[in-house]
Amino acid sequence: MVAWWQAYAFTNGVLNTDNTSIYGLSIDFGPFAFLDNFDPNYTPNHDDHMLRYSYKNQPSIIWWNLVRLGEALGELIGAGGRCDEREFVEEGVSKTWSEELIKRAETLIDRTGEEYKSVFLAEYKRLFGRRLGLKSHKESDFQELYSELLDTLEALELDFNHTFRKLSSIGMADISTEEQRLDIAGRFFHHEGLGSTVAVKDESEARARLARWLEKWRVRIIEDWKETPEADASRAAEMKNANPKFVPRSWILDELIERVEKNGEREILDRIMAMALEPFKDEWGWNKEEEERFCGDVPRYQRAMQCSCSS
């Protein structure tokens, strides 16, 4: 679950221990949100001043919560097969046994932590690779493709989920030269261009950075898929099935509430629900202009919205 959150940029916003389910469920939807621009420090909860439940902290916070569960069950974990013995049931942990019990409980919790990290990273890498259109995994991918892309998105303040969907429609022949890659790079900018706070001097530097990454991505795609029109079409189809066109972002939900509660447009609720249930489609057949607006660039002053736990 946590790997899927991170791969698709979902932020829960209120990951207290009582909001964490060992069933692997996302519960207590208050100020949840999907990232707009990639900002690892983003939290949808405006009361989370310490960024405890920010996007980047979610994996470690979930583990912290699980450790608290382990502590609550510590005696049972430490007792193991002896938990049904009469002495333990009637008298609890004796002083002569406490050191052994504590050591066993701590060891099992530590081992579980290592397994948690291993499973999380493996699933996160699998999902990220799938979103990038890769069929195989190389150790170098994590640094050269995954991390470099995230660093670039953060530095240039680019939209996280839109980036993957746009990559889906780029053919290898479209980025075979440096000139083509520099031109294609502009597709990833917001409609108003680069923001005033991005970590580059000008647009040409931003295009160059994206072009360098596109070149590395192209090499890996060709390794996995070959360079043919048929391979491009197959890869594009798979990528579109992994990268949603529609994401129920905060600005959309905010508008939805306004239109349903104040304007009485209840039909829009069914339409947004239909888009959310089939987010990978190219169109939904009710109003193309409206659909494209909901799937398009997030309005500039409605990005990274926050709300309270009671919202």
Side-chain angles (χ1 to χ4, degrees):
M1 174 188 69
V2 186
W4 282 80
W5 284 355
Q6 300 308 106
Y8 284 87
F10 173 84
T11 53
N12 181 288
V14 280
L15 287 176
N16 310 325
T17 53
D18 61 317
N19 295 336
T20 301
S21 167
I22 59 175
Y23 284 105
L25 304 174
S26 301
I27 59 177
D28 196 347
F29 294 106
F32 76 92
F34 287 89
L35 291 186
D36 295 319
N37 291 349
F38 181 70
D39 177 5
N41 291 314
Y42 171 72
T43 174
N45 187 343
H46 68 49
D47 297 322
D48 185 13
H49 305 297
M50 301 300 292
L51 306 182
R52 177 177 174 82
Y53 303 138
S54 62
Y55 168 79
K56 71 176 182 181
N57 285 337
Q58 290 186 134
S60 58
I61 285 297
I62 286 292
W63 174 241
W64 189 92
N65 290 351
L66 290 174
V67 171
R68 303 290 80 75
L69 175 65
E71 291 172 347
L73 300 175
E75 287 190 3
L76 291 174
I77 294 173
R82 297 178 62 182
C83 65
D84 291 325
E85 292 182 5
R86 182 174 181 178
E87 179 185 359
F88 179 76
V89 173
E90 294 181 356
E91 301 178 19
V93 182
S94 64
K95 290 184 178 180
T96 57
W97 187 27
S98 61
E99 186 175 334
E100 176 189 345
L101 182 146
I102 292 171
K103 183 177 181 180
R104 183 177 189 276
E106 289 178 342
T107 298
L108 288 175
I109 291 173
D110 287 343
R111 287 179 181 175
T112 303
E114 292 304 313
E115 183 176 357
Y116 169 85
K117 286 187 285 186
S118 176
V119 171
F120 165 76
L121 279 174
E123 182 66 357
Y124 176 72
K125 290 177 181 178
R126 184 189 72 82
L127 291 169
F128 209 107
R130 183 168 180 258
R131 295 202 72 180
L132 287 178
L134 302 179
K135 293 196 291 185
S136 65
H137 173 71
K138 296 171 63 174
E139 285 302 315
S140 58
D141 289 342
F142 192 82
Q143 187 61 42
E144 294 183 6
L145 286 182
Y146 305 179
S147 295
E148 179 58 30
L149 177 61
L150 295 179
D151 289 345
T152 299
L153 295 181
E154 182 181 7
L156 303 184
E157 299 179 8
L158 301 180
D159 191 284
F160 182 81
N161 279 301
H162 280 169
T163 294
F164 292 97
R165 185 73 180 191
K166 289 174 180 178
L167 283 172
S168 305
S169 61
I170 296 176
M172 294 303 99
D174 299 331
I175 52 173
S176 60
T177 69
E178 178 68 10
E179 183 179 2
Q180 287 177 311
R181 290 190 288 272
L182 288 170
D183 180 59
I184 289 286
R187 293 187 186 181
F188 300 96
F189 297 159
H190 288 294
H191 66 272
E192 76 274 7
L194 292 175
S196 59
T197 59
V198 299
V200 294
K201 297 177 182 177
D202 52 36
E203 183 178 310
S204 62
E205 185 178 337
R207 285 179 180 269
R209 182 166 181 173
L210 281 165
R212 288 193 295 271
W213 184 87
L214 286 170
E215 183 177 17
K216 295 178 184 178
W217 177 65
R218 180 177 185 273
V219 170
R220 280 293 287 117
I221 290 297
I222 292 174
E223 284 180 2
D224 277 4
W225 289 89
K226 308 303 180 187
E227 190 176 5
T228 66
E230 294 76 18
D232 260 354
S234 296
R235 175 189 55 81
E238 288 208 15
M239 287 186 71
K240 284 187 175 182
N241 284 331
N243 296 305
K245 179 175 181 178
F246 175 76
V247 176
R249 300 170 186 265
S250 297
W251 78 271
I252 297 173
L253 301 181
D254 202 46
E255 179 178 314
L256 181 62
I257 293 170
E258 175 85 12
R259 292 172 66 172
V260 172
E261 290 191 350
K262 296 186 178 180
N263 302 338
E265 298 179 54
R266 297 199 62 83
E267 68 279 358
I268 191 64
L269 181 60
D270 292 333
R271 290 167 178 170
I272 294 297
M273 182 66 75
M275 295 176 75
L277 290 173
E278 296 185 280
F280 304 102
K281 295 177 69 172
D282 283 319
E283 54 186 66
W284 292 265
W286 56 275
N287 183 318
K288 187 171 180 60
E289 183 178 346
E290 189 88 320
E291 291 171 9
E292 290 302 315
R293 186 172 71 87
F294 285 137
C295 296
D297 206 9
V298 179
R300 185 173 185 178
Y301 297 107
Q302 291 179 292
R303 295 169 194 159
M305 293 175 65
Q306 292 180 306
C307 53
S308 70
C309 290
S310 58
S311 299

